[in-house]
Amino acid sequence: MDRPQQPPSNQAGSSPLDILILAAGLGTRMRSSTAKVLHKLGGRPLIAHVCRTASALVKGERPVYVVVGHQASEVERAVREELGESGAVFVTQTEQKGTGDAVFTARDALGDADSTLLV
């Protein structure tokens, strides 16, 4: 049985870790007017659970990058509630054209980073 891959480590001598969360989607298949990352699990928005894990991985040393689009202000509010005002950098995907485009949208924010990117 294959072992699950571990996320890149952030040990001394290695490049720092940046995390990009893709949270711009419409959630069309969910047939809901609420952005899919704002649906709740255990009383908290799904995005809050992802942010908590991302924050633990970067150990508070770097911000978490979040691509927003659909219901951007509500998603940003949920992220700030979990990470604080300076814990995230938001990148806006104005037109939701898929996952590849969402990553491409973040190129300017992360283009000069000398880091390992976890999406």
Side-chain angles (χ1 to χ4, degrees):
M1 175 181 276
D2 291 335
R3 296 179 103 181
Q5 287 190 340
Q6 297 295 319
S9 67
N10 194 8
Q11 299 172 353
S14 66
S15 61
L17 179 66
D18 278 318
I19 297 179
L20 179 64
I21 299 173
L22 307 179
L26 298 169
T28 306
R29 289 182 295 263
M30 293 180 76
R31 296 184 183 148
S32 172
S33 60
T34 302
K36 59 185 165 187
V37 298
L38 294 176
H39 284 266
K40 294 190 176 181
L41 175 68
R44 296 174 45 230
L46 293 171
I47 189 74
H49 296 277
V50 176
C51 287
R52 179 174 288 176
T53 300
S55 180
L57 289 171
V58 297
K59 300 176 178 123
E61 297 170 4
R62 298 175 73 84
V64 173
Y65 293 83
V66 183
V67 177
V68 296
H70 179 61
Q71 296 182 333
S73 60
E74 292 91 343
V75 173
E76 288 178 19
R77 186 175 321 116
V79 170
R80 284 190 182 102
E81 285 178 14
E82 188 65 36
L83 299 178
E85 288 298 317
S86 61
V89 173
F90 297 99
V91 178
T92 302
Q93 183 186 25
T94 54
E95 190 177 343
Q96 285 68 57
K97 296 191 262 180
T99 303
D101 185 66
V103 174
F104 188 74
T105 300
R107 75 190 178 288
D108 290 337
L110 289 161
D112 294 331
D114 185 21
S115 63
T116 299
L117 181 63
L118 184 62
V119 180

